[in-house]
């Protein structure tokens, strides 16, 4: 047979099939094989090479080209005549021949190769706004974005440095060192740096556990701890960032008004007491203007902010370098900044107008040769005054200095002056003694001051130390009361900003490598700078200058600036620009964070802030951010704003640590961070430090921050959109649930711990609507929101065909549970027969120790009139099943008359008829119902029945004592039931019941025969037919639910009353009429006569007597009760008496509006013991 050989040229290594040893007509050749799986592709340009000099076919014609290659979508496809494509299979399926077994599932379960291809092309996601799948589908439509190229240094290290170094370093660190001392200052810095370092370790673990989109801390916490924690902490982080913007702006304005342009102040006070208020007003005005300008800049375009960022970072680095250089230079040549002291008290340099730190000076009265004709200053207390010729002394006159006027009533030498002024002398000390001066020994220990205290130098002597200073005198005063805790709160913002790297994760080339290295290196760098700065400040600057917050003693210079080299202006200008830059960064980052939270749609009222300009800029979020920042600016004091943002940042860091610790301890399968240098103990230590710092710095701010976070958490829990992010809290819940369930399995629950774990059986109609929704209302009132509730229903049919119907039924139940505010689970079972479904549900519901112990089901409504006996048969079967399973059973009768949750009973009684003891359910249920607002105002009455031989008085006493020990308040009554003859009414009711049962049986049987006969006539129009008598399916025999799909909770019928067997026989007219005569008593007058001559069964008469008598008593005593609870008698052992059992229950509850039939589970549920 002729064969065709293909010349195959390898082009690229893809899994393309190659064909070999094939013939032109593969279908006509037996034993032909096609081999797939060659790693070569067919090239269209290569001609067919002929084997043995040529290829010949039947007619000697050339062999047609049996293979052509089509190029499309970047892959080669083969369109071959050898493949039978009659089923419309795509060429791709031809390639996937090795995976043909899975081809029907390819749409839901893609090939590994296509999955890996999608993952490899992953670049970045939108900022926490959409889930991964949505972002990927959107990404396919957009143009290919530029791949991120930023490395560790530019992408993480420098942004972190810029965010961490800030206003506190330049404006407050010297004051913190001077007030707390070098030792406590080191302690403050070390604690804060430890906190951020531990948080960075936890953050690195989370950030390297998968891809973190831009959104940083919020995204990490929300995906690790769930939407509730994520939303709460995300908003705290947002508020912290916003208030940080306000703090940076206030710092910039403070530098501007204090050190750059003091003359620019709008408000000025003539009185010393009003200077502080005037300064705050200046800060508010200028701060608001600055905030407006910055907001406009951010609104116009973030690209300008990003361009300025590098300039601002350069300013920070130059400023810090100048401090170090200045400290080293001061060891050899200290800068000259004299500080004037009166005794040991510091004098403000602003008040020394004539540069005279003295009480008086000598002035030349007349011109003399060799001496300047202006004046020669002689400091009264100076140790080294200017040299002059004693012969000139008569020409000199003593004058008072400018400082004299502040301490004395007049500038005259004989004026009355302040006592402290008179008893102490002026002296000048060097503000910057230098690194080699040994001044650090004086600055080692703390010197905390109260508001209004004078800044003093302890090493200088003074008399009248206790003499109070007046604010009118030119001292340097403390503006706030200081303490260790306050300084922690003020300093902590200077170590925040560690999230800057993780916020930029989308721009990094390798985020999982860069974030840990860059962040931890930045924290190490800043920690070293802060710790060394504390030591340098303590070693170079005098204590009084350090404690002088605004530099008044050094003529209003910035204290850090006095140490800087070559000029204080380096620090002043550098710090001004760096704080402005940090403020811009905060105003840029905060709105994006809010937009990410809003787009996640977990806080409904924030949705509007998810919208922005066409390019995605968050306009509305920026507006809200500016308004909140304005609140911070209106506070106007840097020292009051700093603790606020300290709280918010600490709370954020606390939850980052919690997230890491939780994921580590739970050992979630998805927890596989690339960063391996973490441990749960470190995370817990970081969390503890965060919590401690919150309460150390300001306990009332800490409580407020926690309350805000708690309110947001509860709001999201109740009103927010439900999100499933695979978070750690869900994992914690699973672990806790597993632990608790295993603990519950250890033994049966003690009577004291018994509570109704309810399985509510609901029935759905043809339209999948719940027939008796009040059953669920009643269950919710019984539970009062506590314990386990399972709501179940049964769908008739085959599971494979009825799965969609079951899901719809489940959704209906969930909707009803939400409407009734029932916390619980729903379960829908598909079964061929409702009674089987209910049996399966009762057996399988729950898990471990959390199985239902009580079944709530509805009474079969109008069961007498129903042509379908399945409803009441199912009911009785369910009663039997619950009894067999040792479960309690509650059957509310006339459920439609029960009150809804919005109809509380204002008065009335819940009556309990305690006829037999079955575990104390009757006592416990009214108590549980009265916990709910609907039944709270109802009283409780307990009735019990005494026979002739009982002592009713003693019974009442015993019952009252029993209730007293049970701690249940109720009225007690014993009802005596005397023996009496069976009344004619009872006999008549029994007779009617039995006659009715007999008649219904005959009618059902004859109806079933008629239907069967009609069907057979239709099928075979002949006299001799083949049919079957009886059926395997008792539902069909009873005219049950063959065709109509129902969902039942009322259940699915009891055991069959007849032993069915399939009999096949040939029928004739004679046999048919004979069968009719024997089986249909109603069809002949004799049949009616037989039915009328029925004598009622003795046991039925006795049961009816009990029902009638009890009903009389109950109606007499409880006709006005809001609810009657009654023992439910058990069903008869013989299934033939089922219909009579229903009749007994009807008679027992006749004339009562609301009845709850109660059947205990056989175990004690209430105890008198504690």
């Amino acid at each position: 047979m002729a064969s065709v050989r293909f010349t195959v040229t390898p082009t690229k290594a893809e899994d393309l099939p190659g064909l070999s040893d094939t013939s032109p007509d593969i279908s006509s050749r037996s034993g032909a094989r096609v081999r797939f799986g060659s790693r070569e592709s067919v090239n269209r340009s290569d001609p067919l090479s002929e084997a043995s000099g040529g290829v010949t076919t039947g007619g000697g014609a050339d062999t047609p080209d049996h293979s052509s290659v089509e190029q499309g979508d970047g892959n080669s496809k083969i369109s071959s005549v050898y493949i039978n494509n009659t089923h419309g299979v795509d060429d791709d399926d031809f390639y996937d021949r090795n995976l043909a077994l899975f081809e029907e599932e390819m749409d839901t379960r893609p090939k590994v190769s296509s999955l890996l291809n999608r993952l490899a092309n992953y670049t970045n996601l939108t900022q926490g706004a959409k889930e991964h799948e949505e972002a990927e589908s959107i990404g396919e439509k957009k143009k290919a974005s530029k791949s991120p190229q930023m490395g560790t240094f530019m992408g993480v290290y420098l942004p972190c440095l810029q965010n961490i170094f800030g206003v506190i370093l330049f404006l407050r660190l010297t004051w913190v060192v001077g007030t707390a001392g070098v030792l406590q200052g080191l302690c403050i810095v070390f604690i804060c740096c430890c906190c951020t370092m531990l948080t960075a370790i936890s953050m690195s673990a989370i950030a390297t556990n998968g891809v973190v989109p831009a959104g940083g801390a919020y995204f990490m916490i929300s995906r690790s701890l769930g939407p509730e924690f994520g939303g709460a902490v995300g908003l705290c982080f947002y508020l912290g960032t916003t208030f940080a913007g306000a703090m940076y702006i206030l710092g910039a304005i403070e530098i501007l008004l204090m050190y750059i342009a003091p003359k620019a102040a709008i408000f000025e006070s003539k009185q010393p007491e009003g200077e502080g208020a005037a300064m705050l007003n200046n800060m508010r005005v200028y701060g608001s203007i600055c905030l407006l300008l910055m907001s406009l800049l951010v609104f116009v375009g973030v690209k300008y902010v990003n361009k300025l960022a590098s300039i601002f970072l350069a300013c920070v680095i130059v400023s810090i370098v100048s401090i170090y250089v200045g400290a080293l230079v001061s060891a050899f040549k200290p800068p000259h900044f004299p500080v004037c002291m009166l005794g040991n008290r510091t004098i403000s340099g602003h008040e020394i107008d004539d540069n005279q730190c003295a009480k008086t000076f000598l002035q030349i009265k007349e011109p003399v040769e060799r001496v300047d004709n202006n004046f020669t200053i002689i400091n009264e207390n100076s140790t080294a005054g200017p040299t002059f010729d004693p012969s000139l002394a008569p020409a000199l006159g003593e004058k008072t200095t400018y400082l004299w006027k502040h301490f004395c009533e007049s500038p005259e030498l004989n004026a009355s002056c302040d006592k402290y002024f008179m008893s102490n002398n002026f002296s000048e000390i060097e503000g910057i003694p230098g690194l080699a001066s040994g001044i650090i020994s004086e600055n080692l220990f703390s010197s905390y001051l109260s508001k209004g205290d004078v800044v003093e130098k302890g090493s200088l002597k003074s008399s009248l130390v206790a003499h109070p200073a007046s604010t009118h005198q030119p001292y340097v005063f403390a503006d706030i009361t200081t303490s260790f805790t306050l300084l922690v709160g003020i300093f902590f913002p200077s170590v925040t900003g560690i999230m800057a790297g993780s916020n930029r994760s989308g721009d990094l080339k390798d985020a999982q490598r860069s974030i840990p290295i860059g962040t931890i290196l930045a924290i190490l760098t800043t920690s070293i700078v802060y710790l060394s700065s504390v030591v340098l400040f303590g070693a170079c600057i005098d204590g009084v200058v350090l404690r002088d917050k605004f530099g008044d003693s050094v003529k209003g210079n910035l204290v850090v600036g006095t140490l800087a080299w070559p000029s204080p202006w380096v620090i002043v200008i550098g710090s001004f620009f760096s704080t402005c830059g940090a403020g811009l960064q905060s105003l840029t980052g905060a709105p994006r964070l809010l937009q990410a939270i809003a787009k996640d749609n977990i806080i409904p009222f924030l949705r509007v802030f998810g919208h922005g300009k066409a390019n995605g800029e968050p306009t509305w979020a920026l507006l809200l951010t500016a308004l909140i920042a304005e609140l911070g600016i209106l506070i106007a004091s840097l020292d009051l704003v700093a603790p606020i943002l300290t709280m918010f940042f600490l709370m954020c860091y606390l939850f980052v640590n919690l997230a890491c610790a939780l994921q580590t301890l739970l050992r979630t399968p998805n927890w596989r961070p690339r960063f391996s240098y973490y441990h749960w103990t470190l995370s817990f230590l970081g969390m503890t430090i965060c919590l401690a710092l919150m309460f150390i710095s300001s306990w009332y701010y800490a409580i407020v921050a926690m309350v805000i976070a708690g309110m947001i958490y509860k709001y999201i829990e109740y009103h927010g959109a439900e999100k499933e992010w695979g978070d750690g809290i869900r994992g914690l819940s699973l672990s806790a649930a597993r632990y608790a369930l295993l603990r519950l399995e250890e033994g049966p629950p003690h009577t004291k711990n018994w509570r109704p774990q309810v399985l509510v059986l609901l029935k759905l109609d043809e339209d999948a609507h719940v027939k008796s929704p009040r059953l669920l209302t009643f269950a919710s009132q019984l539970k009062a929101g506590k314990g386990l509730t399972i709501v179940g229903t049964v769908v008739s049919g085959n599971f494979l065909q009825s799965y969609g119907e079951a899901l719809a039924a489940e959704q209906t139940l969930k909707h009803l549970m939400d409407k009734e505010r029932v916390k619980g689970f729903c379960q829908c079972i598909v079964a061929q027969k409702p009674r089987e479904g209910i049996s399966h549900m009762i057996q399988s519901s729950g898990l471990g120790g959390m199985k239902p112990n009580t079944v709530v089901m509805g009474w079969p409504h109008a069961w007498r009139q129903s042509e379908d006996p399945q409803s009441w048969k199912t009911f009785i079967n369910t009663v039997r099943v619950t009894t067999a399973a040792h479960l309690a059973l509650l059957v509310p009768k006339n459920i439609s008359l029960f009150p809804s949750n919005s109809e509380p009973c204002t008065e009335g009684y819940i009556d309990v008829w305690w006829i037999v003891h079955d575990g104390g359910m009757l006592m416990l249920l009214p108590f549980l119902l009265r916990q709910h607002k609907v039944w709270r105002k109802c009283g409780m009455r307990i009735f019990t029945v005494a026979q002739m031989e009982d002592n009713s008085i003693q019974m009442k006493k015993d019952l009252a004592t029993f209730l007293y020990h049970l701690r249940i308040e109720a009225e007690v009554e014993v009802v005596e039931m005397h023996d009496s003859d069976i009344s004619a009414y009872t006999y008549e009711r029994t007779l009617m019941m039995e006659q009715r049962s007999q008649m219904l049986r005959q009618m059902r049987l004859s109806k079933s025969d008629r239907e069967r006969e009609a069907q057979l006539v239709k099928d075979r129009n002949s006299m001799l037919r083949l049919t079957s008598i009886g059926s395997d399916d008792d539902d069909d025999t009873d005219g049950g639910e063959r065709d109509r799909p129902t969902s039942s909770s009322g259940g699915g019928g009891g055991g069959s009353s007849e032993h069915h067997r399939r009999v096949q026989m040939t029928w004739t007219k004679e046999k048919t009429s004979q069968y009719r005569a024997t089986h249909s008593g109603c069809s002949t007058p004799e049949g009616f006569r037989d039915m009328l001559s029925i004598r009622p069964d003795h046991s039925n008469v006795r049961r009816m007597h009990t029902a009638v008598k009890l009903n009389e008593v109950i109606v007499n005593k409880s006709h006005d009760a809001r609810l009657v609870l009654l023992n439910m008698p058990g069903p008869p052992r013989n299934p033939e008496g089922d219909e009579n059992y229903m009749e007994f229950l009807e008679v027992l509850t006749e004339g009562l509006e609301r009845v709850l039939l109660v059947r205990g589970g056989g175990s004690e549920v209430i105890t008198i013991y504690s």
Side-chain angles (χ1 to χ4, degrees), residues 3 92 225 317 389 400 528 536 640 826 919 978 1125:
S3 65
D92 280 337
L225 293 179
I317 293 170
D389 190 344
T400 57
I528 291 166
L536 286 177
L640 293 177
C826 57
H978 301 293
L1125 277 77

Side-chain angles (χ1 to χ4, degrees), residues 1023-1027 1064-1068 1071:
M1023 290 299 294
L1024 298 173
R1025 287 161 297 189
L1026 192 67
T1027 187
Q1064 295 188 337
M1065 55 194 298
T1066 305
W1067 280 44
T1068 61
K1071 282 188 179 179

Side-chain angles (χ1 to χ4, degrees), residues 177 182 186 435 440 529-540:
V177 174
V182 172
L186 286 171
L435 195 59
I440 191 168
V529 169
Y530 284 137
L531 291 167
S532 58
S533 296
V534 169
V535 176
L536 286 177
F537 292 159
C540 296

Side-chain angles (χ1 to χ4, degrees), residues 99 118-119 186 286 293 347 504 523 608 707 844 904 913 923 974 986 991 1035 1078 1081 1091-1092 1105 1167:
L99 299 175
R118 281 219 302 276
L119 291 176
L186 286 171
Y286 279 102
L293 293 172
I347 301 295
R504 293 165 176 255
I523 291 172
V608 66
V707 167
S844 62
W913 283 85
M923 303 290 148
V974 176
T986 304
L991 191 61
D1035 286 10
T1078 54
M1091 206 172 69
L1092 291 173
H1105 175 68
T1167 179

Side-chain angles (χ1 to χ4, degrees), residues 12 46 94 114 143 183 207 231 479 558 570 646 657 701 1012 1045 1087 1110:
K12 51 185 177 180
D46 290 340
F94 170 56
S114 58
K143 292 178 184 176
L183 295 179
D479 63 334
L558 182 61
V570 176
T646 294
N657 284 303
Y701 275 153
R1012 187 185 292 113
L1110 265 176

Side-chain angles (χ1 to χ4, degrees), residues 604-791:
F605 68 82
L606 288 182
R607 281 176 193 151
V608 66
F609 299 109
H611 307 300
K613 291 194 286 189
N615 61 352
E617 289 296 313
T619 313
W620 291 106
L622 177 63
L623 186 64
L624 181 67
T625 304
L627 289 173
I628 296 172
E630 179 62 24
L631 292 177
I633 283 167
L634 291 177
I635 295 172
S637 169
L638 190 70
D639 303 322
L640 293 177
V641 174
I644 296 175
L645 64 110
T646 294
M647 285 309 123
F648 289 129
F649 277 121
L650 277 170
M651 184 163 284
C652 177
Y653 296 166
L654 184 148
F655 281 105
V656 169
N657 284 303
L658 174 64
C660 180
L662 201 62
Q663 299 274 32
T664 310
L665 286 174
L666 289 175
R667 295 195 180 99
T668 319
N670 190 48
W671 179 248
R672 303 183 297 274
R674 285 189 184 280
F675 179 79
S676 55
Y677 305 102
Y678 68 93
H679 195 265
W680 67 267
T681 50
L682 293 177
S683 300
F684 263 114
L685 181 62
M687 194 171 73
T688 309
I689 293 174
C690 288
L691 194 63
L693 285 176
M694 284 176 74
F695 283 93
I696 284 172
S697 55
S698 176
W699 63 267
Y700 43 89
Y701 275 153
I703 291 171
V704 169
M706 286 179 164
V707 167
I708 290 171
M711 286 166 63
I712 298 166
Y713 179 94
K714 297 308 282 184
Y715 177 83
I716 297 172
E717 191 177 49
Y718 283 112
H719 299 289
E722 289 185 8
K723 298 275 183 183
E724 175 53 72
W725 285 330
D727 51 85
I729 292 296
R730 177 61 60 92
L732 181 64
S733 303
L734 286 170
S735 292
R738 173 183 163 276
Y739 175 76
L741 283 169
L742 290 173
R743 287 290 303 274
L744 284 173
E745 276 287 279
E746 288 177 6
H750 192 273
T751 306
K752 287 186 288 185
N753 291 328
W754 194 95
R755 61 198 65 197
Q757 315 285 12
V758 178
L759 170 62
V760 185
L761 299 174
L762 294 179
K763 190 169 186 175
L764 304 185
D765 58 19
E766 291 86 347
D767 300 324
H769 294 137
V770 178
K771 281 190 174 178
S772 303
R774 283 287 166 90
L775 264 179
L776 200 55
T777 310
F778 173 73
S780 71
Q781 293 168 3
L782 180 66
K783 301 296 293 175
K786 306 283 192 304
L788 174 74
T789 305
I790 298 177
V791 182

Side-chain angles (χ1 to χ4, degrees), residues 543-561:
V544 290
V545 180
L546 287 173
R547 286 188 288 280
D548 178 8
K549 187 189 288 183
F550 302 112
D552 292 326
S553 59
V554 285
K555 292 189 168 34
N557 276 302
L558 182 61
V559 176
V560 184

